[in-house]
Amino acid sequence: MRMVQIEKNIPIPAPKKKECKYPFHKMEVGDSFFYPLKDECSTALLQMKISNASCTYNRKDKTGKKFKTTQLSNGVRVWRIQ
């Protein structure tokens, strides 16, 4: 059995603020952005990733912003609709 040593007074590291990959926080209603397709995924997968990111943003932001995504041949366009 491996012994684990309990230590006291070890400071908890400050949380790292993660930079948002998509500019949801800067968008106003009617704004859009285009995210180009990378070689490693399809437009459907890219659209799913961006849509999931917007849902995560909404859970944290709690302001009721809504976004619409559309697949294009060379990437995904995202609009803020509310």
Side-chain angles (χ1 to χ4, degrees):
M1 183 172 180
R2 180 179 254 190
M3 296 298 292
V4 177
Q5 183 178 358
I6 297 173
E7 300 173 315
K8 298 189 183 294
N9 301 318
I10 304 296
I12 298 172
K16 295 179 182 177
K17 186 153 183 151
K18 188 176 179 183
E19 182 74 25
C20 187
K21 187 174 187 178
Y22 310 107
F24 301 126
H25 62 288
K26 296 179 182 177
M27 295 177 76
E28 296 179 10
V29 175
D31 289 352
S32 70
F33 68 88
F34 176 76
Y35 200 86
L37 183 63
K38 306 284 186 192
D39 294 334
E40 66 271 2
C41 70
S42 66
T43 53
L45 180 58
L46 179 60
Q47 182 181 25
M48 185 180 68
K49 287 179 177 183
I50 295 173
S51 182
N52 288 343
S54 74
C55 290
T56 300
Y57 171 79
N58 281 332
R59 277 195 303 275
K60 293 178 180 179
D61 187 56
K62 298 180 183 178
T63 57
K65 295 176 182 174
K66 292 189 178 182
F67 301 92
K68 165 81 174 139
T69 61
T70 298
Q71 294 179 35
L72 303 172
S73 61
N74 57 346
V76 173
R77 181 157 295 277
V78 182
W79 289 266
R80 179 169 168 205
I81 58 172
Q82 183 178 342

